Amino acid sequence: MVNRVKVIDHVSAKIFFILKPIIGLVLTFVIVYGVICRYFLRQPDVRVYFLSVWIMGICYLFSFGYTLLLRGHVSVDILYNYLPKKARRVLDLIGLAVIVISCIVLLPSAISYAWRSTLINELDSTMPMFAPPIWWYKWCLVIALILAAFQTVAELFKTLKRKAGGD
């Protein structure tokens, strides 16, 4: 099981390592293009806003598993730090179990949502003049849920191992 956990950790790290510069470069290009259009050409392009929101959405979706790997999620620990270590581990296990169950419950709906969108070749209808395909964007949710579920399972096993072996 330890090897599987390491593989999941490695995959999460690699995916974000690959996506981070791509997202950064694409977002930078889109914003620079928007600034050039707005301030130098005096013709703002409304597509810039939508593209930047989509790109940040992808960043948000795919960063969940990676942030979980780094233990970087923000938590409100009003009482948590005052609890004994065993109680903290139990809370960690409950929280991770809730995340895994949530991913499993959401996944069939997300797949159905993305599949339906793919079949009809769904377009973004919020802008009449700019209607790019968005079916691919909905598959990002499916992939991100799968990655988040796997990373959460890996964290669950790490927490169980810590419980058995101590800190």
Side-chain angles (χ1 to χ4, degrees):
M1 191 54 65
V2 173
N3 288 337
R4 291 183 185 146
V5 169
K6 286 183 181 179
V7 168
I8 292 170
D9 288 349
H10 182 72
V11 168
S12 289
K14 282 294 181 192
I15 287 173
F16 201 74
F17 180 77
I18 291 168
L19 282 178
K20 189 169 38 172
I22 292 171
I23 289 171
L25 288 172
V26 172
L27 187 59
T28 301
F29 173 77
V30 167
I31 299 300
V32 167
Y33 169 76
V35 168
I36 290 170
C37 287
R38 177 176 294 261
Y39 294 107
F40 295 110
L41 302 177
R42 301 274 187 228
Q43 293 182 340
D45 192 342
V46 294
R47 297 174 294 185
V48 170
Y49 172 74
F50 290 99
L51 289 173
S52 61
V53 168
W54 288 355
I55 293 165
M56 288 308 297
I58 290 171
C59 183
Y60 175 78
L61 286 173
F62 284 98
S63 65
F64 180 84
Y66 184 68
T67 308
L68 194 59
L69 170 67
L70 298 178
R71 297 182 144 289
H73 285 284
V74 175
S75 62
V76 179
D77 53 3
I78 296 170
L79 297 175
Y80 182 84
N81 287 335
Y82 298 107
L83 295 173
K85 288 184 181 183
K86 284 186 178 184
R88 282 189 250 165
R89 286 192 196 106
V90 169
L91 283 177
D92 289 343
L93 289 171
I94 291 169
L96 291 169
V98 167
I99 294 170
V100 170
I101 291 167
S102 298
C103 288
I104 291 170
V105 168
L106 289 172
L107 195 56
S109 296
I111 290 171
S112 172
Y113 184 60
W115 180 248
R116 216 169 328 144
S117 182
T118 303
L119 289 177
I120 64 171
N121 194 22
E122 187 174 3
L123 303 175
D124 183 359
S125 60
T126 57
M127 297 290 299
M129 303 298 279
F130 174 58
I134 59 170
W135 59 266
W136 62 271
Y137 191 72
K138 295 182 179 184
W139 283 105
C140 289
L141 174 62
V142 173
I143 295 166
L145 277 172
I146 292 169
L147 292 172
F150 277 121
Q151 187 60 49
T152 307
V153 168
E155 296 302 317
L156 195 60
F157 281 117
K158 286 188 237 177
T159 303
L160 284 170
K161 183 181 175 194
R162 261 197 322 267
K163 181 177 184 183
D167 288 334

